[in-house]
Amino acid sequence: MSAFEEHTAVKETGAGVYEGRVHPGWWVVRGPHGGYLAAIILRALTLRLDDPSRPARSFTTHFASAPEEGPLEITTQIEREGRSMTTLSARTTQGDKLVALSLAAFSAAREGFDFDDSSVPAVGSPDEGFRVPTEGKDIPDFLGNFDMRWHIGGPPFSGSPEAQLGGWIRMEDPTIADAPAIACLLDAWPPAVFPRTTKLVVCPTIDFTVHFRSELPVSGANGDDFYLGRFTSKLSRDAFFEEDGELWSANGTLVAQSRQLALALNP
């Protein structure tokens, strides 16, 4: 079991109720990393469904408040189970505090119209990218869980003309990337607005959605595989900005897409 798998593990404590734990190594500024929390919740939902023939297709979490270090309770519900798709919900709490509300759709493959107009970014190898530092002044603890090689976008706080960044990423501790790991990787990069602004901003996430577009783990996946991410934003207004993400496997397969609404606040 990798560190990520250990830190996102859940156990059933009642009918449809699971306990997870927030570990201290995933801290950002005002709480734990959102993608990490999402991964814990998605593990609970996957266990509740308990049907490998219906993988996760869509997963959305609204973050209500930041939890503290320690146990979480995740109460899951199967809202509807059809012939090929199951819709589930989850309510995550810590004591009397609501932490998150989540919805997910799990479905078998369907027959229908297929096409692929996605375009993988043209970047160099991971070894050619700038390795994002994980230790030092003002560097949040959670970055120590990732190996990130920056290729896309200007430097942080440089006033770049585009809100865009990305590059290669993997877990620092070798982990075969299942759906919870992919969800976490999609939220690991610094916010796309960092190159666009000229000063530090704090960016808590309001909601986070992942669309899984490939079988997971990908065929032949290894624990030390890199994935290529690109993240962009087009508008920040009233301090709210959107961020769209794409994640490809090393062979150019679009694995997942994400969209989130976040805040860009003065620290």
Side-chain angles (χ1 to χ4, degrees):
M1 180 179 290
S2 70
F4 173 77
E5 291 169 321
E6 179 184 350
H7 292 170
T8 58
V10 297
K11 62 180 180 180
E12 190 170 14
T13 58
V17 181
Y18 299 84
E19 181 182 285
R21 176 169 290 274
V22 178
H23 289 256
W26 292 88
W27 232 249
V28 186
V29 177
R30 299 179 179 176
H33 174 240
Y36 164 65
L37 282 177
I40 295 173
I41 298 166
L42 185 55
R43 286 215 187 279
L45 288 167
T46 302
L47 283 176
R48 175 62 190 273
L49 178 61
D50 192 24
D51 185 353
S53 72
R54 297 188 179 195
R57 302 288 178 170
S58 175
F59 172 67
T60 297
T61 289
H62 284 252
F63 299 102
S65 62
E68 305 295 330
E69 178 185 345
L72 295 168
E73 185 172 88
I74 306 162
T75 303
T76 65
Q77 180 70 39
I78 294 178
E79 301 292 347
R80 184 182 184 277
E81 190 162 34
R83 288 178 294 177
S84 61
M85 181 178 293
T86 305
T87 302
L88 299 96
S89 65
R91 180 183 178 89
T92 303
T93 56
Q94 191 172 61
D96 295 331
K97 181 170 67 174
L98 175 65
V99 172
L101 294 171
S102 307
L103 288 173
F106 292 73
S107 178
R110 306 287 294 274
E111 293 289 336
F113 174 58
D114 290 348
F115 69 97
D116 186 352
D117 292 337
S118 61
S119 178
V120 61
V123 302
S125 70
D127 289 341
E128 296 174 286
F130 169 73
R131 182 159 187 172
V132 176
T134 58
E135 296 180 347
K137 186 176 183 295
D138 298 326
I139 293 178
D141 292 342
F142 88 96
L143 282 177
N145 297 289
F146 303 101
D147 179 356
M148 307 168 73
R149 312 296 178 92
W150 195 300
H151 275 274
I152 301 169
F157 321 123
S158 62
S160 171
E162 293 183 313
Q164 176 178 244
L165 55 73
W168 295 99
I169 185 171
R170 63 183 176 184
M171 296 292 178
E172 181 64 33
D173 188 27
T175 302
I176 294 178
D178 58 3
I182 291 297
C184 189
L185 292 176
L186 275 164
D187 193 42
W189 278 93
V193 297
F194 272 20
R196 187 75 168 80
T197 183
T198 57
K199 61 182 181 180
L200 175 66
V201 289
V202 178
C203 300
T205 300
I206 308 301
D207 65 66
F208 177 51
T209 294
V210 180
H211 294 155
F212 300 98
R213 309 310 310 271
S214 173
E215 180 182 352
L216 294 172
V218 297
S219 179
N222 294 302
D224 58 358
D225 289 342
F226 277 99
Y227 294 83
L228 178 60
R230 178 173 60 192
F231 304 89
T232 61
S233 181
K234 299 297 183 185
L235 175 67
S236 181
R237 181 173 292 156
D238 299 330
F240 291 87
F241 71 94
E242 95 295 340
E243 181 179 285
D244 291 311
E246 299 167 302
L247 198 70
W248 284 268
S249 65
N251 68 2
T253 298
L254 183 61
V255 174
Q257 298 162 303
S258 64
R259 186 173 179 88
Q260 59 179 286
L261 184 69
L263 285 161
L265 302 173
N266 296 323

Coordinates of all heavy atoms in Angstrom, one line a residue, residues 33 73 104 110 129 237 244-245:
H33 N -5.6 19.6 1.4 CA -5.7 19.7 -0.1 C -7.1 19.2 -0.5 O -7.5 18.1 -0.1 CB -4.6 18.9 -0.6 CG -4.6 18.7 -2.1 ND1 -4.7 17.5 -2.7 CD2 -4.6 19.6 -3.1 CE1 -4.6 17.6 -4.0 NE2 -4.6 18.9 -4.3
E73 N -16.4 11.4 9.0 CA -17.5 10.5 8.7 C -18.1 10.8 7.4 O -18.5 11.9 7.1 CB -18.5 10.6 9.8 CG -19.6 9.5 9.7 CD -20.5 9.4 10.9 OE1 -21.5 10.2 10.9 OE2 -20.2 8.7 11.8
A104 N -22.0 11.4 -7.4 CA -21.2 10.6 -8.3 C -22.1 9.7 -9.2 O -23.1 9.3 -8.7 CB -20.2 9.7 -7.6
R110 N -21.2 2.0 -22.6 CA -22.5 2.0 -23.4 C -22.1 2.0 -24.9 O -21.0 2.5 -25.3 CB -23.3 3.2 -23.1 CG -23.6 3.4 -21.6 CD -24.6 2.4 -21.1 NE -25.9 2.6 -21.7 CZ -26.9 3.4 -21.3 NH1 -26.6 4.2 -20.2 NH2 -28.0 3.6 -21.9
G129 N 11.6 19.1 -17.7 CA 10.7 20.1 -17.0 C 11.4 20.6 -15.7 O 12.3 20.0 -15.2
R237 N -13.9 37.0 -11.6 CA -14.8 38.1 -11.3 C -15.4 38.0 -9.9 O -15.8 36.9 -9.5 CB -15.9 38.2 -12.4 CG -16.9 39.3 -12.2 CD -17.9 39.4 -13.3 NE -17.2 39.7 -14.6 CZ -17.7 39.4 -15.8 NH1 -18.8 38.7 -15.9 NH2 -17.0 39.8 -16.9
D244 N -10.3 24.9 -15.7 CA -10.5 23.6 -16.5 C -9.2 22.9 -16.6 O -8.2 23.4 -16.9 CB -11.0 24.0 -17.9 CG -12.4 24.5 -17.9 OD1 -13.3 23.9 -17.3 OD2 -12.6 25.6 -18.6
G245 N -9.3 21.6 -16.3 CA -8.1 20.7 -16.3 C -8.3 19.5 -17.3 O -9.4 19.0 -17.5

